[in-house]
Amino acid sequence: MGPVPLLNLLPQYGKIRDEVLAAIIRVADSQQFILGQEVKLLEAEIAAYSQAAFGIGCASGSDALLLALMAAGIGPGNEVLTSPYSFFATVSAIHRTGATTVFADIDPVSFNLDPQPLAAILDSRPKVRAIIPIHLFGGCADMGAIRAACAGREIFLLEDAAQAIGAEYEGSRAGSMGHAGCFSFFPSKNLGAFGDAGMITTQDPDLAARLSTLRVHGSRDKYFHETVGLNSRLDALQAAVLRVKFRYLDEWTAARQRNAARYRELLAGLPVTVPAPRPWQNRHIYNQFVIATDRRDQLKAWLGARGIGTEIYYPLPLHLQQCFAYLGYRPGDFPVSERLARESLAIPVHGELSSEELEWVADSIGAFFESL
Ligand SMILES: *Cc1c(COP(=O)(O)O)cnc(C)c1O
């Protein structure tokens, strides 16, 4: 068996190459590069797909988070609650607004914000103005329980749906449940551009209007600025590429779901924790398939020696990052996040993985545990 990388975009590209190149030529021939018709169409398509009324394209998922917090008026003196087990961008956005991050630990099964202690935390922290649940690895956070904890409080609920396009919580799509949802089209996401791109979804027309202004330096009429925004526009080229790939998204997601189901069969009985969607995660899109074992580093080396690509998402929880030391958190504060940072390992699950490759990965994991 040849190498099995964690993600290989080449076979996917091979299948859609002609269509994508035609879309790129269409944009090149128009010489309209920033926002414009391609972006409008993509915004409408992604919003509809995500059961949201509005989609506002921007330069990246990181900017989507920052713009959404800015549009909600989050800033110095406010606190924003999220979990420390995520990609850096979630907390970077909070930091950039001048607000203070408050962390709460994750549920060990879903890797998402554990809603259980939320109400008590909110009682003791009246400055919390926003919560960012992260739909990590393609499975939705427990939005019902999170919303219940927010009831009666003025809290901006922002879904970090960067890894979760099309994922569902009890039939509701990621990006439709909070006040806003943020998407990333980074190439390794399930819907990936040919570079950086992002989008914010919302049901709220006022918020949508503020976001469209904030992404163009806070100006509604060119050269007249009501607020200070960002330069965070979505390129027409990226939108055109995304619109082609979007047509295949459900097919690719179905392949990931089949791969995940097959892994669950093949890895059953081995001493690894295998992702098992929580009952409310009725459409998990498996941006990653993350297993956990206390022999993670050995297993990673074993698989690497067989040419199998894996990745650790994430090796250091955000509350222990050097740049956030000022928040005052310590090792031991969030035991579930800290344990999973030591134990989790993403294995290849992408839609182009052949059944032989998948079986080779599963067999290799089995062989590792036999070798102990
Ligand atoms: C990818 C990602 C982001 C940031 O998206 P970019 O487009 O890379 O800026 C934010 N949050 C999470 C959870 C992500 O996985």
Side-chain angles (χ1 to χ4, degrees), residues 17-74:
R17 186 175 180 277
D18 292 348
E19 280 178 278
V20 171
L21 293 183
I24 290 174
I25 290 170
R26 190 171 73 233
V27 174
D29 287 349
S30 80
Q31 289 293 296
Q32 301 291 314
F33 296 118
I34 302 285
L35 298 172
Q37 193 59 15
E38 292 287 346
V39 172
K40 277 208 182 81
L41 290 168
L42 179 72
E43 288 173 337
E45 287 165 3
I46 300 296
Y49 185 76
S50 306
Q51 301 171 347
F54 303 94
I56 300 94
C58 63
S60 68
S62 302
D63 275 7
L65 289 161
L66 178 57
L67 286 163
L69 291 174
M70 288 168 75
I74 302 297

Coordinates of all heavy atoms in Angstrom, one line a residue, residues 17-74:
R17 N -11.8 19.4 -12.4 CA -10.8 20.4 -12.9 C -11.4 21.2 -14.1 O -11.2 22.5 -14.0 CB -9.6 19.6 -13.5 CG -8.4 20.4 -13.9 CD -7.3 19.5 -14.3 NE -6.1 20.3 -14.8 CZ -6.0 20.8 -16.0 NH1 -6.9 20.5 -16.9 NH2 -5.0 21.5 -16.4
D18 N -12.0 20.6 -15.0 CA -12.5 21.4 -16.2 C -13.6 22.4 -15.7 O -13.5 23.6 -16.2 CB -13.2 20.4 -17.2 CG -12.1 19.5 -17.8 OD1 -10.9 19.8 -17.7 OD2 -12.5 18.5 -18.5
E19 N -14.4 22.0 -14.8 CA -15.5 22.9 -14.4 C -14.9 24.1 -13.6 O -15.3 25.3 -13.8 CB -16.4 22.2 -13.4 CG -17.5 21.4 -14.1 CD -18.3 20.7 -13.0 OE1 -17.9 19.6 -12.5 OE2 -19.4 21.2 -12.7
V20 N -13.9 23.8 -12.7 CA -13.3 24.8 -11.9 C -12.5 25.8 -12.8 O -12.6 27.0 -12.7 CB -12.4 24.2 -10.9 CG1 -11.6 25.3 -10.2 CG2 -13.2 23.5 -9.8
L21 N -11.8 25.3 -13.8 CA -11.0 26.1 -14.6 C -11.9 27.0 -15.5 O -11.6 28.2 -15.7 CB -10.0 25.3 -15.5 CG -8.9 24.6 -14.7 CD1 -7.9 23.9 -15.6 CD2 -8.1 25.6 -13.8
A22 N -13.0 26.5 -15.9 CA -14.0 27.3 -16.7 C -14.5 28.4 -15.8 O -14.7 29.6 -16.3 CB -15.2 26.4 -17.2
A23 N -14.8 28.2 -14.6 CA -15.3 29.2 -13.7 C -14.2 30.3 -13.5 O -14.5 31.5 -13.4 CB -15.7 28.6 -12.3
I24 N -13.0 29.9 -13.3 CA -11.9 30.8 -13.1 C -11.7 31.7 -14.4 O -11.6 32.9 -14.3 CB -10.5 30.1 -12.8 CG1 -10.6 29.5 -11.4 CG2 -9.3 31.0 -12.9 CD1 -9.5 28.6 -11.0
I25 N -11.8 31.1 -15.5 CA -11.7 31.9 -16.8 C -12.9 32.9 -16.9 O -12.7 34.0 -17.3 CB -11.7 30.9 -18.0 CG1 -10.3 30.2 -18.0 CG2 -11.9 31.7 -19.3 CD1 -10.3 29.0 -19.0
R26 N -14.1 32.4 -16.5 CA -15.2 33.3 -16.5 C -14.9 34.6 -15.7 O -15.2 35.7 -16.1 CB -16.4 32.6 -15.9 CG -17.8 33.3 -16.1 CD -18.9 32.4 -15.7 NE -19.0 32.2 -14.2 CZ -19.0 31.0 -13.6 NH1 -19.0 29.9 -14.3 NH2 -19.1 31.0 -12.3
V27 N -14.4 34.4 -14.5 CA -14.1 35.6 -13.6 C -12.9 36.4 -14.3 O -13.0 37.6 -14.3 CB -13.7 35.1 -12.2 CG1 -13.2 36.3 -11.4 CG2 -14.9 34.5 -11.5
A28 N -11.9 35.7 -14.8 CA -10.8 36.5 -15.4 C -11.3 37.3 -16.6 O -10.9 38.5 -16.7 CB -9.7 35.5 -15.9
D29 N -12.2 36.7 -17.4 CA -12.7 37.4 -18.5 C -13.6 38.6 -18.1 O -13.7 39.6 -18.8 CB -13.5 36.5 -19.4 CG -12.6 35.5 -20.2 OD1 -11.4 35.8 -20.2 OD2 -13.1 34.6 -20.8
S30 N -14.2 38.5 -16.9 CA -15.0 39.6 -16.4 C -14.2 40.8 -15.8 O -14.6 41.9 -15.8 CB -16.0 39.1 -15.4 OG -15.4 39.0 -14.1
Q31 N -13.0 40.4 -15.4 CA -12.1 41.4 -14.7 C -12.8 42.0 -13.5 O -12.5 43.2 -13.1 CB -11.6 42.4 -15.7 CG -10.5 41.8 -16.6 CD -9.2 41.4 -15.9 OE1 -8.5 42.2 -15.4 NE2 -9.0 40.1 -15.9
Q32 N -13.8 41.3 -12.9 CA -14.4 41.8 -11.6 C -13.9 40.9 -10.5 O -14.4 39.7 -10.5 CB -16.0 41.6 -11.8 CG -16.6 42.4 -12.9 CD -16.5 43.9 -12.7 OE1 -16.8 44.4 -11.6 NE2 -16.0 44.7 -13.7
F33 N -13.1 41.4 -9.7 CA -12.4 40.5 -8.7 C -12.9 40.5 -7.3 O -12.6 39.6 -6.5 CB -10.9 40.8 -8.8 CG -10.2 40.5 -10.1 CD1 -9.7 41.5 -10.8 CD2 -10.2 39.2 -10.6 CE1 -9.1 41.3 -12.0 CE2 -9.6 39.0 -11.9 CZ -9.1 40.0 -12.6
I34 N -13.5 41.6 -6.9 CA -13.8 41.8 -5.5 C -15.3 41.8 -5.3 O -16.0 42.6 -6.1 CB -13.2 43.1 -5.0 CG1 -11.7 43.2 -5.2 CG2 -13.6 43.3 -3.5 CD1 -10.9 42.3 -4.2
L35 N -15.8 41.0 -4.4 CA -17.3 40.9 -4.2 C -18.0 40.7 -5.6 O -17.6 39.9 -6.4 CB -17.8 42.1 -3.4 CG -17.2 42.2 -2.0 CD1 -17.6 43.6 -1.4 CD2 -17.6 41.1 -1.1
G36 N -19.1 41.4 -5.8 CA -19.8 41.3 -7.1 C -20.7 40.1 -7.2 O -21.0 39.4 -6.2
Q37 N -21.1 39.8 -8.4 CA -22.1 38.8 -8.7 C -21.8 37.4 -8.2 O -22.6 36.7 -7.6 CB -22.4 38.7 -10.2 CG -23.7 38.0 -10.6 CD -24.9 38.5 -9.9 OE1 -25.0 39.7 -9.4 NE2 -26.0 37.8 -9.9
E38 N -20.5 36.9 -8.4 CA -20.2 35.5 -8.0 C -20.3 35.4 -6.5 O -20.8 34.4 -6.0 CB -18.7 35.2 -8.4 CG -18.4 35.1 -9.8 CD -19.0 33.8 -10.5 OE1 -19.3 32.9 -9.7 OE2 -19.0 33.7 -11.7
V39 N -19.9 36.5 -5.8 CA -20.0 36.4 -4.3 C -21.4 36.5 -3.8 O -21.8 35.7 -3.0 CB -19.2 37.6 -3.7 CG1 -19.4 37.7 -2.2 CG2 -17.7 37.4 -4.0
K40 N -22.2 37.3 -4.5 CA -23.7 37.4 -4.1 C -24.3 36.0 -4.3 O -25.1 35.6 -3.4 CB -24.4 38.4 -5.0 CG -24.2 39.8 -4.6 CD -25.5 40.6 -5.0 CE -25.3 42.1 -4.6 NZ -24.4 42.9 -5.5
L41 N -24.0 35.3 -5.4 CA -24.6 34.0 -5.7 C -24.2 33.0 -4.6 O -25.0 32.2 -4.1 CB -24.3 33.6 -7.1 CG -25.0 34.4 -8.2 CD1 -24.4 34.0 -9.6 CD2 -26.5 34.1 -8.2
L42 N -22.9 33.0 -4.3 CA -22.4 32.1 -3.3 C -23.0 32.4 -2.0 O -23.4 31.4 -1.2 CB -20.9 32.2 -3.2 CG -20.3 31.2 -2.1 CD1 -20.3 29.8 -2.6 CD2 -18.8 31.6 -1.8
E43 N -23.1 33.6 -1.6 CA -23.8 34.0 -0.3 C -25.2 33.4 -0.2 O -25.6 32.9 0.8 CB -23.8 35.5 -0.2 CG -22.4 36.1 0.1 CD -22.4 37.6 0.1 OE1 -23.3 38.3 -0.5 OE2 -21.4 38.2 0.7
A44 N -25.9 33.6 -1.3 CA -27.3 33.1 -1.3 C -27.3 31.6 -1.2 O -28.2 31.0 -0.5 CB -28.0 33.5 -2.6
E45 N -26.4 30.9 -1.9 CA -26.4 29.4 -1.9 C -26.0 28.9 -0.5 O -26.7 27.9 0.0 CB -25.4 28.9 -3.0 CG -26.0 29.1 -4.4 CD -24.9 28.9 -5.5 OE1 -23.7 28.6 -5.2 OE2 -25.2 29.1 -6.7
I46 N -25.0 29.5 0.1 CA -24.5 29.0 1.4 C -25.6 29.3 2.5 O -25.8 28.5 3.3 CB -23.2 29.5 1.8 CG1 -22.1 29.2 0.7 CG2 -22.7 29.1 3.2 CD1 -21.8 27.7 0.6
A47 N -26.2 30.5 2.4 CA -27.2 30.8 3.4 C -28.4 29.8 3.3 O -28.8 29.3 4.3 CB -27.7 32.3 3.1
A48 N -28.9 29.6 2.1 CA -30.0 28.6 1.9 C -29.6 27.3 2.4 O -30.4 26.6 3.1 CB -30.4 28.6 0.4
Y49 N -28.4 26.8 2.1 CA -27.9 25.5 2.5 C -27.9 25.4 4.0 O -28.1 24.3 4.6 CB -26.6 25.2 1.9 CG -26.0 23.9 2.1 CD1 -26.4 22.8 1.3 CD2 -24.9 23.7 3.0 CE1 -25.9 21.5 1.5 CE2 -24.4 22.4 3.1 CZ -24.8 21.3 2.4 OH -24.3 20.1 2.6
S50 N -27.5 26.5 4.6 CA -27.3 26.5 6.1 C -28.6 27.0 6.8 O -28.6 27.3 8.0 CB -26.2 27.4 6.4 OG -25.0 27.0 5.7
Q51 N -29.7 27.0 6.1 CA -31.0 27.4 6.7 C -30.9 28.8 7.3 O -31.5 29.1 8.4 CB -31.5 26.4 7.8 CG -31.6 25.0 7.2 CD -31.9 23.9 8.3 OE1 -31.7 24.2 9.5 NE2 -32.3 22.7 7.8
A52 N -30.2 29.7 6.7 CA -30.0 31.1 7.3 C -30.6 32.0 6.2 O -30.6 31.8 5.1 CB -28.6 31.4 7.6
A53 N -31.0 33.2 6.7 CA -31.6 34.2 5.8 C -30.6 35.0 5.0 O -30.8 35.3 3.9 CB -32.5 35.2 6.6
F54 N -29.4 35.2 5.7 CA -28.4 36.0 5.0 C -27.0 35.3 5.1 O -26.7 34.6 6.1 CB -28.2 37.3 5.7 CG -29.5 38.1 5.7 CD1 -30.4 38.0 6.8 CD2 -29.9 38.9 4.6 CE1 -31.6 38.7 6.8 CE2 -31.1 39.6 4.6 CZ -31.9 39.5 5.8
G55 N -26.2 35.5 4.1 CA -24.8 35.1 4.1 C -24.0 36.3 3.7 O -24.3 37.0 2.7
I56 N -22.9 36.5 4.4 CA -22.0 37.7 4.1 C -20.6 37.1 4.0 O -20.0 36.7 4.9 CB -22.1 38.7 5.3 CG1 -23.5 39.3 5.5 CG2 -21.1 39.9 5.0 CD1 -24.3 38.5 6.5
G57 N -20.1 37.2 2.7 CA -18.8 36.6 2.4 C -17.7 37.5 3.0 O -17.9 38.8 3.0
C58 N -16.6 36.9 3.4 CA -15.4 37.7 3.9 C -14.2 36.9 3.6 O -14.2 35.9 2.9 CB -15.6 38.0 5.4 SG -15.6 36.6 6.4
A59 N -13.1 37.5 4.0 CA -11.8 37.0 3.6 C -11.3 35.6 4.2 O -10.5 34.9 3.6 CB -10.7 38.0 3.8
S60 N -11.9 35.3 5.3 CA -11.5 34.0 6.0 C -12.4 33.7 7.1 O -13.2 34.5 7.5 CB -10.0 34.1 6.6 OG -10.1 35.0 7.7
G61 N -12.3 32.5 7.6 CA -13.1 32.1 8.8 C -12.7 32.9 10.0 O -13.5 33.2 10.9
S62 N -11.4 33.2 10.1 CA -10.9 34.0 11.3 C -11.6 35.4 11.2 O -12.0 35.9 12.3 CB -9.4 34.1 11.2 OG -8.8 32.9 11.2
D63 N -11.6 36.0 10.1 CA -12.3 37.3 9.9 C -13.8 37.2 10.2 O -14.4 38.1 10.7 CB -12.0 37.9 8.5 CG -10.7 38.6 8.4 OD1 -9.9 38.6 9.4 OD2 -10.5 39.3 7.4
A64 N -14.4 36.1 9.8 CA -15.8 35.9 10.0 C -16.1 36.0 11.5 O -17.1 36.7 11.9 CB -16.3 34.6 9.4
L65 N -15.3 35.4 12.3 CA -15.5 35.4 13.8 C -15.3 36.9 14.3 O -16.1 37.3 15.1 CB -14.5 34.5 14.5 CG -14.8 33.0 14.3 CD1 -13.5 32.2 14.6 CD2 -15.9 32.5 15.2
L66 N -14.2 37.5 13.8 CA -13.9 38.9 14.3 C -15.0 39.8 13.9 O -15.5 40.6 14.7 CB -12.6 39.3 13.8 CG -12.1 40.7 14.1 CD1 -12.1 40.9 15.6 CD2 -10.8 41.0 13.5
L67 N -15.5 39.7 12.6 CA -16.5 40.6 12.1 C -17.8 40.4 12.9 O -18.5 41.4 13.2 CB -16.8 40.4 10.6 CG -15.7 40.9 9.7 CD1 -15.8 40.3 8.3 CD2 -15.8 42.5 9.6
A68 N -18.2 39.2 13.2 CA -19.4 38.9 13.9 C -19.4 39.5 15.3 O -20.4 40.1 15.8 CB -19.7 37.4 13.9
L69 N -18.2 39.3 16.0 CA -18.1 39.9 17.3 C -18.2 41.4 17.3 O -18.8 42.1 18.1 CB -16.8 39.4 18.0 CG -16.8 37.9 18.4 CD1 -15.4 37.6 18.9 CD2 -17.8 37.6 19.4
M70 N -17.5 42.0 16.3 CA -17.6 43.5 16.1 C -19.0 43.9 15.8 O -19.5 44.9 16.4 CB -16.7 43.9 14.9 CG -15.2 43.8 15.2 SD -14.1 44.0 13.7 CE -14.2 45.8 13.5
A71 N -19.7 43.2 15.0 CA -21.1 43.6 14.6 C -22.0 43.5 15.8 O -23.0 44.2 15.9 CB -21.6 42.7 13.5
A72 N -21.7 42.6 16.8 CA -22.5 42.5 18.0 C -22.1 43.5 19.0 O -22.7 43.5 20.1 CB -22.3 41.1 18.5
G73 N -21.1 44.3 18.7 CA -20.7 45.4 19.6 C -19.8 44.8 20.8 O -19.8 45.5 21.9
I74 N -19.2 43.7 20.6 CA -18.4 43.1 21.7 C -17.0 43.9 21.7 O -16.4 44.1 20.7 CB -18.1 41.6 21.4 CG1 -19.4 40.8 21.3 CG2 -17.2 41.0 22.5 CD1 -20.2 40.8 22.6

